[in-house]
C-alpha cells in the first residue's frame, strides 16, 4: 500500500527519518553540487532531496517544482516561501518535452504500475544532457523487508533490473550506489550507530544497502552516415553491361572498314 502524504511527512519528521533524509541529501549533493539556473522537477515525495527555489531577486532563478502524485497527496512546499508543489499525474506531467534539466524521484518509482513507461515519460521531459536521480528500495536490503517505513512498501528492485529498465528507456547510467546499511529500527542503539554503520557499510559492503541511488543521463547521439563514394570511384566500380561486352571495339571496326576485299 502506498503511503500517503501524512505518513511520509511523519516519517521524515521522526529521528530515524531525519537521519535518512540527511544521508540521502548528502549523496544527492555529491552528484549535483551546483544546480543554479537549471529547471528541477521532483516526482513522488522528493522534497527531502530538493533545494528550495531561489528568491525572485536572484538572476539565476530557475523553475523548481515538486510534483506529488494524486494517490499520495500533496503539501505546501517550501513552508517559508511561495508554494512550488503541485498535485498531478506523474505519467502526464504538465510540462513540455525537453524542458527539465534535473529530475529527482523519491517514493515514486516503486509504485509505478508501468515503470518502463514512466522512465520514457521522464526521458521525454529531460533536455539533452539532463540527468535523473532515482531512489529505489533494494530487493536484497533490510529496508524493503523490515520496519514500518516508506521503503517497506511498493516493489523493490535489484540493480540489474534497474539497469535493464534504464537501458530500455534510452538512459545512460552514470553511477549507482547503495545506502541505508543500518537496520530500519527506532531503537536508541541503532540510531546512535547510524552514521558509523553507514560509513562502514559503504566501505566494506557497498552493494547490500537498503536503497539504491542511481544517476542516469539523457544523451542524444548523432547518427553516423557512411561516406559517399566519389564520382570517379563510383564510375570505376560500375560493371560493364552485357551489350557492351558483345559490341566490337572502335579499333576493330576501323580496321575492317579500311581493308580491301580479297
Amino acid at each position: 500500500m502506498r503511503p500517503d502524504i501524512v505518513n511520509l511527512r511523519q516519517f521524515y519528521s521522526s529521528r530515524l527519518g531525519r537521519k535518512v533524509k540527511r544521508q540521502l541529501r548528502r549523496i544527492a549533493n555529491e552528484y549535483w553540487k551546483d544546480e543554479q539556473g537549471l529547471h528541477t522537477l521532483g516526482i513522488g515525495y522528493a522534497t527531502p532531496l530538493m533545494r528550495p527555489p531561489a528568491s525572485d531577486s536572484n538572476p539565476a532563478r530557475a523553475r523548481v517544482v515538486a510534483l506529488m502524485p494524486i494517490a499520495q497527496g500533496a503539501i505546501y512546499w517550501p513552508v517559508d516561501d511561495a508554494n512550488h508543489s503541485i498535485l498531478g499525474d506523474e505519467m502526464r506531467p504538465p510540462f513540455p518535452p525537453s524542458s527539465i534539466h534535473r529530475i529527482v524521484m523519491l517514493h515514486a518509482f516503486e509504485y509505478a504500475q508501468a515503470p518502463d513507461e514512466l522512465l520514457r515519460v521522464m526521458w521525454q521531459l529531460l533536455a539533452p544532457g539532463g540527468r535523473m536521480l532515482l531512489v529505489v528500495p533494494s530487493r536484497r536490503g533490510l529496508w524493503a523487508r523490515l520496519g514500518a517505513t516508506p521503503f517497506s512498501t511498493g516493489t523493490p528492485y535489484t540493480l540489474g533490473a534497474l539497469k535493464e529498465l534504464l537501458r530500455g528507456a534510452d538512459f545512460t547510467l552514470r553511477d549507482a550506489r547503495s545506502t541505508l546499511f543500518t537496520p530500519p529500527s527506532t531503537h536508541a542503539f541503532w540510531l546512535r550507530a547510524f552514521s558509523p554503520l553507514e560509513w562502514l557499510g559503504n566501505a566494506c559492503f557497498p552493494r547490500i544497502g537498503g536503497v539504491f541511488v542511481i544517476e542516469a543521463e539523457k544523451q542524444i547521439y548523432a547518427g553516423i552516415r557512411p561516406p559517399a563514394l566519389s564520382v570517379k570511384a563510383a564510375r570505376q566500380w560500375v560493371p560493364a553491361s552485357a551489350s557492351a561486352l558483345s559490341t566490337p571495339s572502335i579499333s576493330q571496326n576501323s580496321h575492317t572498314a579500311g581493308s580491301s576485299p580479297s
Side-chain angles (χ1 to χ4, degrees):
M1 183 176 179
R2 185 172 195 157
D4 59 22
I5 193 65
V6 176
N7 300 131
L8 291 167
R9 191 171 187 179
Q10 288 177 349
F11 173 74
Y12 284 102
S13 298
S14 66
R15 291 185 62 189
L16 178 60
R18 289 196 297 269
K19 290 183 177 294
V20 171
K21 175 181 177 180
R22 190 179 304 115
Q23 178 68 11
L24 294 178
R25 181 174 287 182
R26 182 187 64 81
I27 296 176
N29 291 337
E30 290 179 4
Y31 284 125
W32 301 343
K33 296 180 180 180
D34 186 9
E35 303 302 311
Q36 289 189 358
L38 300 181
H39 301 320
T40 304
L41 175 65
I43 304 291
Y45 190 73
T47 54
L49 305 184
M50 298 174 65
R51 295 186 181 95
S55 60
D56 293 336
S57 59
N58 191 340
R61 183 177 185 271
R63 181 172 55 198
V64 179
V65 178
L67 191 154
M68 302 187 182
I70 298 174
Q72 167 193 293
I75 59 172
Y76 190 100
W77 179 82
V79 295
D80 55 352
D81 203 346
N83 181 49
H84 285 261
S85 69
I86 61 174
L87 185 68
D89 185 355
E90 63 269 35
M91 298 298 294
R92 298 178 179 179
F95 305 102
S98 302
S99 62
I100 305 297
H101 302 109
R102 296 290 185 269
I103 292 178
V104 183
M105 296 184 67
L106 176 62
H107 302 303
F109 190 77
E110 60 267 33
Y111 304 107
Q113 296 182 355
D116 51 345
E117 295 183 10
L118 178 59
L119 288 177
R120 293 190 184 97
V121 172
M122 298 300 106
W123 194 92
Q124 291 290 335
L125 277 182
L126 283 173
R131 301 179 188 178
M132 177 179 65
L133 200 63
L134 188 63
V135 182
V136 185
S138 170
R139 182 175 296 177
R140 299 188 178 97
L142 295 176
W143 286 72
R145 306 175 184 181
L146 304 176
T149 72
F151 297 102
S152 62
T153 59
T155 303
Y157 287 86
T158 63
L159 184 58
L162 290 172
K163 290 181 178 179
E164 187 66 24
L165 286 169
L166 290 169
R167 189 181 305 112
D170 293 332
F171 274 102
T172 300
L173 181 66
R174 290 181 55 90
D175 191 33
R177 67 172 72 180
S178 62
T179 186
L180 300 188
F181 302 94
T182 310
S185 173
T186 58
H187 193 277
F189 171 78
W190 295 114
L191 291 176
R192 288 194 299 268
F194 190 94
S195 296
L197 287 177
E198 291 301 313
W199 179 87
L200 182 64
N202 184 60
C204 302
F205 312 101
R207 294 300 184 187
I208 64 171
V211 171
F212 289 118
V213 182
I214 295 177
E215 186 188 28
E217 184 177 7
K218 175 181 178 178
Q219 294 184 354
I220 304 296
Y221 298 96
I224 301 177
R225 180 179 299 177
L229 293 172
S230 65
V231 176
K232 181 178 180 180
R235 288 177 176 174
Q236 291 176 354
W237 285 99
V238 173
S241 61
S243 59
L245 293 175
S246 61
T247 304
S249 62
I250 298 177
S251 59
Q252 292 175 343
N253 293 340
S254 300
H255 176 76
T256 305
S259 62
S260 57
S262 54

